[in-house]
Amino acid sequence: MIDGEFNRKGELVFDIGLIAADRTHCPVRAILDTGFNEWLLINNKDAENLEWLRQPDTRKARTAGGTVILNRYEGIVLLDEEEWSVPVLEGDEIKDILLGVRWLRYKRLVADFAAGLLTLG
């Protein structure tokens, strides 16, 4: 189980790791976004720096800023000391790393804003 925190906006923030192609561990902060139905969303520069394997297909997604085209990569995420190989979407305009709702199929989310309690595991 990993502990998280609520940021000033009330978003659910967790410290996770991204594993580069050379097996380098990159600690990052990610926001759990229950409105995002995939596994992980990152900026294209991050995916390139990690040297993850790009997949040939793309996805259209509707965002608050309009419709965008997202590339797909295979990436490795370190969550709760466990490595997960997951499909990762990336785009040029992505500012925050987002964990999607798919994680909740395998990890239990406990969020108690009033008590300041946030865990995923």
Side-chain angles (χ1 to χ4, degrees):
M1 176 171 28
I2 61 173
D3 292 324
E5 63 185 49
F6 299 97
N7 67 15
R8 291 182 317 214
K9 296 181 195 175
E11 296 167 323
L12 314 177
V13 180
F14 294 94
D15 292 322
I16 64 168
L18 304 178
I19 308 296
D22 67 0
R23 302 296 301 159
T24 303
H25 176 255
C26 304
V28 297
R29 295 183 63 84
I31 298 170
L32 180 65
D33 183 350
T34 59
F36 174 54
N37 294 323
E38 300 295 331
W39 290 96
L40 187 72
L41 179 66
I42 64 175
N43 185 278
N44 67 345
K45 298 285 189 226
D46 294 328
E48 290 170 7
N49 290 338
L50 292 163
E51 297 181 349
W52 284 345
L53 181 61
R54 185 172 171 179
Q55 303 300 306
D57 59 321
T58 59
R59 297 242 175 106
K60 276 187 182 178
R62 288 186 5 188
T63 68
T67 301
V68 296
I69 302 294
L70 301 172
N71 295 312
R72 195 169 70 85
Y73 286 78
E74 282 300 315
I76 300 175
V77 177
L78 184 63
L79 185 76
D80 196 17
E81 298 183 24
E82 186 178 355
E83 288 188 14
W84 295 74
S85 181
V86 297
V88 178
L89 296 177
E90 66 83 25
D92 293 334
E93 303 299 320
I94 306 306
K95 292 181 175 74
D96 296 309
I97 296 172
L98 298 182
L99 294 170
V101 74
R102 290 210 179 181
W103 289 102
L104 300 183
R105 293 181 183 183
Y106 302 96
K107 298 289 183 182
R108 181 172 183 240
L109 175 65
V110 176
D112 185 336
F113 193 84
L117 175 68
L118 180 62
T119 62
L120 184 63

